[in-house]
Amino acid sequence: MPNVVILGAQWGDEGKGKIVDLLTERADAVARFQGGHNAGHTLVVGGQKTVLHLLPSGALRDGVECLIGNGVVVHIGQLLKEIGKLEERGADLRARLLVSPACPLILPHHAALDAARERGPSAIGTTGRGIGPAYEDKAARRALRAGDLLRPKHFTARLKELCDYHNRALQDFYEAEPVAYEDALEQTLGQAKHVAELIGDVSAKLCELRAQNKSVLFEGAQGMLLDIDHGTYPFVTSSNTTAAAAAAGAGIGPLDLDYVLGVSKAYATRVGAGPMPTELHDQTGELLGERGAEFGATTGRPRRCGWFDAVALRRCRQVCGLSALGVTKLDVLDGLDTIKICTAYRHRGANLELPPYGAEALAECEPVYEELDGWAQPSGGIRELEKLPENARRYLERVSELCDLPVDIVSTGAERSDTITVKHPFAPA
Ligand code: IMP
C-alpha cells in the first residue's frame, strides 16, 4: 500500500482537510509533519462541522492511527483541547495518537513574541500563534521539546532560562509585558501529565507500518507558497511545506513517499500580507469570497481572492514532484460568465513561466490571463466527472494542461461525499 502526501499547492486553506479525511477511509495512519496550530482543517461529516488545528485530519476516523511528527511545533494546551473535543464525541483518540518527543513546544512567550512583532512595521499577518518564535528556538537549539516534558526537573530549569531570555526581548526591545515564569511552569507541567502517555517514537512507528505494508497519509499544513525557502519570502510561514518536508518532519526516507497530491482551489486565496499576482479587487473577488465562505479557519480573517494561478502551481509541481492535482471548490465558480486562468507573469518585458523568488520581484509581476467560458448549471454536489457541466470539465482540462498534471480528485462541496474521484491515490498504478 502506498504512502501518500497531501499538501496545499497554494497559500493554504485549499481544502486539504476534507481530502485527507476522505482518503483516510483506506489509510491506516495519518501523520502531520510541519506547522502547528496555525493550520485550520475544516471537516464536514454528516452535516457536522469540525475544525482541527493540530490533530491530523484522520482523527475523526475510528481505527486510524494519528501521528504528530518531529517537524510539528506543538502547543500542549491546544492538543489537549482538541483531544477533549473529539472524546466528547465518543472518539477513542488517545489509544491511536502518538506525538514525537522531538516536537518543539510552543510556550506562552512564543505567542507573546509573535504578537509583539506583529504590532511593528515588519508585520506579515501571522496567525499570532507563536509558530515563528517556536521554530526560531528550534533552529537556535534552545527549544524545549515534547520529550522534555517527561523530565520535570530538567524542564523546570530550562523553562526558566528560556523565559528570562525571551522576557528581555519582550520588555526591552518590544516594550511588551513579560511572561510570568511561574504561570508558564504551572500551566505546562500541569498539562504534561495528560500527554506523557502519548509521546513516542513516530519515526519507528512509520517504519513499522511500512514494513507491514500499511499506508500512511502525510498531511501538509499551510501551502507550498508559504514554504520558508520556496514561498513568497518573507511573507511565509516558518517551516518547509513542500513534499520533502514530509520525510524530514516525520522521520522516514524520501523514497518511502509514493504519491504526492497537490490540492488547489479552482481559484486562489491568501490570508495575511504578501504578493498575490492574481488577486481581484473587484466585485468578482468579493463574489468568490462570499460564495466560497472565504474566512480563515484559524483567525477568522477574510481571505483575499483571485483567479487560478498556473504559474505558481508550476513551481509547486516542480518543488514537490507532484503526482497529481486535487481541485477543490469548483462549485464556487458556478454561474460566472467567464473565468480567467493566469498562464504566465509579465515581468520587466518578459513572460515568465515560473514565479521569481522573493516577494519584491513577485510584486512586480503582472498576470497574463487566458479567458474561458463559464457554466450556468450548478456543479455543487456532483460526484461523477461526466455529470459536470461541459465547460466545467473543459476548465479542469485546461488547468491540467497548463500545470502538466492530471486532476485526480475534484471537490464539489463541503461534505465528504461531494467529491469526484477520477483516480484514487491508493489505486494500483
Ligand atoms: P504563521 O504561520 O502564523 O507564522 O503566519 C505566517 C503566514 O502564513 C501568514 O501570512 C499567515 O496568514 C499564513 N498562514 C499560516 N497558517 C496558515 C493556514 O493554515 N492557512 C493559510 N495561511 C496560513
Side-chain angles (χ1 to χ4, degrees):
M1 288 288 278
N3 280 340
V4 168
V5 184
I6 298 190
L7 48 86
Q10 298 171 307
W11 284 281
D13 307 315
E14 297 90 351
K16 301 176 285 293
K18 171 188 153 165
I19 308 276
V20 173
D21 172 63
L22 178 79
L23 297 182
T24 43
E25 194 184 8
R26 295 212 213 159
D28 298 291
V30 183
R32 275 205 51 187
F33 53 89
Q34 49 73 226
H37 64 310
N38 48 348
H41 294 162
T42 307
L43 315 168
V44 183
V45 183
Q48 193 178 7
K49 185 168 147 180
T50 306
V51 183
L52 297 175
H53 297 284
L54 185 54
L55 285 173
S57 295
L60 291 192
R61 297 256 191 201
D62 285 342
V64 172
E65 307 224 39
C66 292
L67 311 175
I68 299 186
N70 54 279
V72 178
V73 281
V74 172
H75 187 284
I76 298 292
Q78 178 67 27
L79 182 69
L80 290 172
K81 192 165 132 194
E82 290 188 20
I83 293 172
K85 218 162 67 180
L86 294 191
E87 279 177 345
E88 270 169 31
R89 288 175 50 180
D92 65 332
L93 195 60
R94 279 177 173 272
R96 52 191 173 91
L97 177 64
L98 199 62
V99 180
S100 167
C103 290
L105 296 177
I106 301 184
L107 298 164
H109 44 253
H110 293 132
L113 280 165
D114 202 351
R117 286 180 194 161
E118 286 290 299
R119 284 195 288 273
S122 49
I124 63 158
T126 71
T127 58
R129 299 282 165 103
I131 306 297
Y135 277 116
E136 285 168 33
D137 274 0
K138 169 182 170 173
R141 294 163 292 189
R142 60 171 171 253
L144 274 165
R145 310 199 298 178
D148 295 318
L149 290 167
L150 306 176
R151 287 179 208 84
K153 243 170 97 179
H154 159 81
F155 187 89
T156 305
R158 291 281 332 284
L159 185 66
K160 177 84 177 80
E161 280 169 30
L162 264 186
C163 271
D164 288 348
Y165 178 80
H166 289 307
N167 277 343
R168 282 185 72 167
L170 279 169
Q171 288 174 287
D172 300 345
F173 190 75
Y174 294 109
E175 295 175 358
E177 285 298 309
V179 167
Y181 161 68
E182 293 75 16
D183 293 350
L185 183 68
E186 193 187 316
Q187 197 182 329
T188 36
L189 281 189
Q191 291 162 345
K193 53 180 178 288
H194 300 292
V195 290
E197 59 170 11
L198 305 175
I199 297 171
D201 193 331
V202 168
S203 172
K205 180 80 194 172
L206 286 168
C207 290
E208 193 185 305
L209 289 166
R210 186 72 163 169
Q212 293 166 347
N213 201 25
K214 296 201 165 159
S215 72
V216 181
L217 278 183
F218 291 85
E219 177 180 20
Q222 291 80 52
M224 186 266 141
L225 299 170
L226 290 171
D227 180 89
I228 187 151
D229 292 304
H230 301 284
T232 52
Y233 193 90
F235 301 97
V236 291
T237 193
S238 301
S239 59
N240 283 115
T241 56
T242 48
I252 55 152
L255 296 183
D256 285 332
L257 305 174
D258 305 297
Y259 171 100
V260 184
L261 185 75
V263 181
S264 167
K265 276 179 194 160
Y267 49 100
T269 63
R270 170 165 206 171
V271 280
M276 177 182 175
T278 64
E279 183 172 9
L280 291 167
H281 299 280
D282 59 8
Q283 280 184 336
T284 309
E286 278 170 32
L287 189 77
L288 293 176
E290 274 164 36
R291 288 234 199 116
E294 296 296 354
F295 294 91
T298 298
T299 58
R301 291 178 289 179
R303 297 175 183 145
R304 300 152 64 190
C305 298
W307 296 119
F308 182 86
D309 185 341
V311 183
L313 212 304
R314 280 182 208 126
R315 174 70 75 196
C316 181
R317 183 197 62 200
Q318 178 184 312
V319 171
C320 297
L322 296 183
S323 312
L325 275 182
V327 177
T328 59
K329 292 193 160 184
L330 182 68
D331 52 306
V332 172
L333 300 180
D334 289 355
L336 293 177
D337 289 338
T338 53
I339 299 169
K340 291 183 185 174
I341 301 182
C342 171
T343 57
Y345 293 159
R346 193 84 193 141
H347 184 249
R348 299 188 180 182
N351 270 9
L352 306 182
E353 293 279 307
L354 283 168
Y357 275 87
E360 293 77 16
L362 188 59
E364 291 164 5
C365 291
E366 288 294 324
V368 177
Y369 285 121
E370 176 175 311
E371 208 165 284
L372 279 81
D373 288 336
W375 52 92
Q377 315 90 312
S379 70
I382 289 184
R383 295 166 193 187
E384 287 159 64
L385 199 61
E386 304 70 46
K387 296 203 171 144
L388 281 178
E390 198 183 329
N391 284 351
R393 278 205 313 271
R394 281 220 181 102
Y395 180 72
L396 291 173
E397 278 161 19
R398 192 64 188 130
V399 163
S400 166
E401 276 166 17
L402 287 167
C403 301
D404 196 16
L405 282 168
V407 175
D408 279 3
I409 291 180
V410 183
S411 167
T412 56
E415 278 281 349
R416 235 179 217 171
S417 47
D418 295 339
T419 310
I420 301 168
T421 307
V422 181
K423 183 175 177 296
H424 199 290
F426 291 144

